[in-house]
Structures are given as C-alpha cells and as structure tokens.
Amino acid sequence: MPGQPRKPQSWDAIPRFGHWLLEVLANLGTSTRFLLLVLAAVFQRHFSLRQLSLQVYAVGVLSLLLMVVAALFTGMVLGFQGYNTLVRFGAEESLGTVVALSLVRELGPVLTALLFAGRAGSALTAEIGLMKTTEQLAAMEMMAVNPFAWVVAPRLLAGVIAMPILAAIYNVVGVWGGYLIAVPLMGVDEGAFWSQMQANVSLYDDILSGMIKSLCFGLVVTWIATWQGYRSEPTAEGVGRATTRTVVGSALAVLALDFVLTALMF
Amino acid sequence: MERKAVDWWVGIFVLLGLAALVVLALRVGNLADLGTRGGYPIVATFDNVGGLKVKAPVKMGGVPVGRVQSISIDPQSYLAVVRMEIEPGIKLPTDTGASIYTAGLLGEQYVTLEPGGSPDYLKPNGRISLTQSAISLEQIIGQFLYSKAAETPASPGSQAGGEGL
C-alpha cells in the first residue's frame, strides 16, 4: 500500500476501500494489456520451436511425477470414499461412474491446475522475476529484442499446451487408482465397474468439457505466473512476494473460473 | 540437460498425453467397446431387457461365466436381442433358460442362466429360447397399487366394479 502509514480510523474505511478497488481495476487493466501483448507475440512467433520445447519440458515433463502420484492417491481416495457410501445402497457397481465422473469433470482439471500453479507457476514467476532483477529484460529491450516474444510468449504457450496433457494423464491415472481400490481390494465386479463407467461418461459432454476447462486453466495460471514475474519488484524479497501472489492468485482464479465454466457447460 | 534428452522427454510427454486422451475416449468414455477375452457367443431374445448394459455380467448360480456383448433389437420380431460371450470351458445345454435380474434395489442388472437337462449343448451363436424378461419395478408397484385400490371399499356403489379385478 502506498502512502504514509497512519493510524487507521473508522472513517478511513471507505476511502481505503475505494483506493483498493482502483488498484484492483488498474491491475486488471495492465495485466490484460500484458496478456494481449504476449498473445500478439505468440501469433507472430519470434521464438523457435526449440525454445517452446524447452518450456514444455520445464512446465510439463518436470510436473509429471507430481501429477501422477497425486492422481493415484486422488483416485484411490475416491474409490474408498465412494465405496463406503455406495455400499450402503447396494450400488457399489456405480463406483466406476463416480470415480470417473468426479475426476474427468472436476478433480482432474482443477487439481492439476492447483498443483501446476504450485509447481510450474511459481517457478515461472521466480524465473522471470530473477531475469528482471538481474536486468536481463532491460538488456533485451536495449538490444531491441522484444522480451514478450522471447521470454513470455513461449512460456505462456507451453503452459497452454502442457495443462490439458497433464489433466488427461491425471484422469487416466486417477481412474486406474480408483480401479485398484474397487476391483482387487473391495471386490466390485470388474465388468460392472467399466461398463457402468462407459455407460455414464460421455465423450463430448464430460471428457471434452474437462479438457476445455484445463485449457482455460492453463492459460489463466501461466498468465498470472508470467505477469506476476514481469511486474515483480526487482529485489529478492519482491520476487519472493510475487511467487506467493502467483500461487494464491492462480488458486483463487482457478476455483472461481471453475465455477463459471461448470455453470456454463454442464 | 542435453538438447536431445529434452526433445525426447517432450516427445514422450506429448505422446503420453495423447495416449491418455485415447484411453479416456475408448475405455472410460462411450466411444468404443473393450475387447473381450475369448469365448463363444450365444444369443437370447427378451421382451424387455430393462436397464441391462453392454458388458454386464452373465452369471450361473451366482458365478460370473461371461459378459453381455451387445444388445440390439430384432427388426422382424421387435424383440430385444442380447448377445453374450460365455467362457470357453462352460458348456450350456440347449434347454438353458436366461433371465434378467437386478442386484439389490439400485444395483445393476445382469443375466442369469439356468442350465436344463438336455444332453445336447449349445453351439457358438446358439439361441436360448427360454427367457424371462427384466422385472419392471414400476409395473409391479403399479399393479400393487391398482389391486390395493380395488380391495378398499370406497363406496357401496363402486364395490361391484372392483370385484372384477
């Protein structure tokens, strides 16, 4: 907060709220302008495929192990909890449906995005923030190299590419985790597990909508991460704060966006 | 990291993602059927299969002996045709009966086979003629309510009409 620290007084609340609101609006404006500039740079494609591949490696491949482990446990927990609830109604054959639908529609895209924000998003912010701190971005501008095109654009595109892939892998591993609990451990009929799942999970309504969700999350999380890195204060403390803001901001954005997308699609 | 290694990993990553999508579409979603594990097909026709699903278990004495392969309608007789795959080791007499039962109140539906005493066995693609359709819970409740309504003497005048049921 700018300005002299004063003793807060009760009549201060309204102007402070107004000030905060203006700041939020200004941030929204500048970050949108940032996104548009980066998108323009993406479509001009000044970066090489080589750079893109390196970024996909950094945000995608390096997050893979985390996603697989998290997905396995998510699926197994869904299997246990679903079984305990469904067995009371003698409907444990629907376990496949419960596990698959929860994963494909909600947990897959959302948890991937949250983990992605923690693993890859924070790294992106720290990386770009460090570039700013060490004045690499300024040096690029001096050499008439557009930092949007060279630094931000390949990272944003890589996030948008990697997120749906990670979500798809998350879903498959999660379903497999649920299967491990349901069929060998709890003794649910294997054919019923798969057939009920296939009968109730629709390719277009469920799987494709989930993929669209994760595509949007990928864009939003990488946008927030690169933006926070780009605007971070060029100090060690400033980069640290920007990293925190990335994780908190993208988590809230993902959850809010998930609500909006769910309301729109299902 | 060396350039080649990164390229390999990215390639594997993208291929994994595509494979995951294919698995989701084929195995979890309803795009295509799962391959079954060998065995011979038999056919049974029912008046009504209720909520029977493809890949539902086929049981004999409560033990799974096969899976439902496909459910279709016979264009001539308008009966439901259920194709089942039976495990290779199990031989069914020609006078085997097939019924559709429900596991529990909310459970899924499955086919039960009751072997008869015929000395001949069903050949692959053989037809089961003795079938019992799925029990429709709505119909039973409807019939029950209807008979209850007929029992209760609403008014002396309507008593005679109720007797006929």
Side-chain angles (χ1 to χ4, degrees), chain B residues 2-159:
Chain B
E2 216 178 295
R3 173 180 179 159
K4 240 189 158 174
V6 171
D7 289 349
W8 267 101
W9 275 112
V10 171
I12 291 169
F13 174 65
V14 174
L15 285 180
L16 262 181
L18 289 179
L21 269 181
V22 169
V23 170
L24 280 179
L26 295 184
R27 178 125 202 196
V28 178
N30 49 7
L31 193 64
D33 285 350
L34 204 66
T36 33
R37 280 165 288 174
Y40 65 97
I42 57 167
V43 180
T45 46
F46 294 90
D47 293 334
N48 179 9
V49 292
L52 191 71
K53 302 255 165 58
V54 172
K55 280 191 289 301
V58 177
K59 296 184 182 180
M60 191 188 269
V63 181
V65 295
R67 302 242 168 257
V68 173
Q69 225 173 13
S70 70
I71 301 170
S72 55
I73 200 95
D74 182 4
Q76 257 102 56
S77 61
Y78 302 109
L79 291 174
V81 180
V82 176
R83 264 182 103 76
M84 292 166 275
E85 197 175 49
I86 305 297
E87 281 177 18
I90 288 167
K91 287 181 175 174
L92 298 170
T94 45
D95 55 351
T96 298
S99 339
I100 297 177
Y101 286 149
T102 308
L105 196 60
L106 298 170
E108 53 140 10
Q109 294 190 301
Y110 62 94
V111 179
T112 291
L113 299 178
E114 288 121 33
S118 166
D120 301 326
Y121 293 113
L122 275 175
K123 292 184 177 64
N125 283 316
R127 180 174 289 266
I128 292 180
S129 39
L130 296 163
T131 60
Q132 188 191 327
S133 289
I135 294 165
S136 163
L137 205 60
E138 294 94 321
Q139 259 179 22
I140 293 174
I141 293 173
Q143 277 170 4
F144 175 73
L145 290 179
Y146 199 57
S147 62
K148 272 285 168 204
E151 272 174 29
T152 44
S155 66
S158 67
Q159 188 82 28

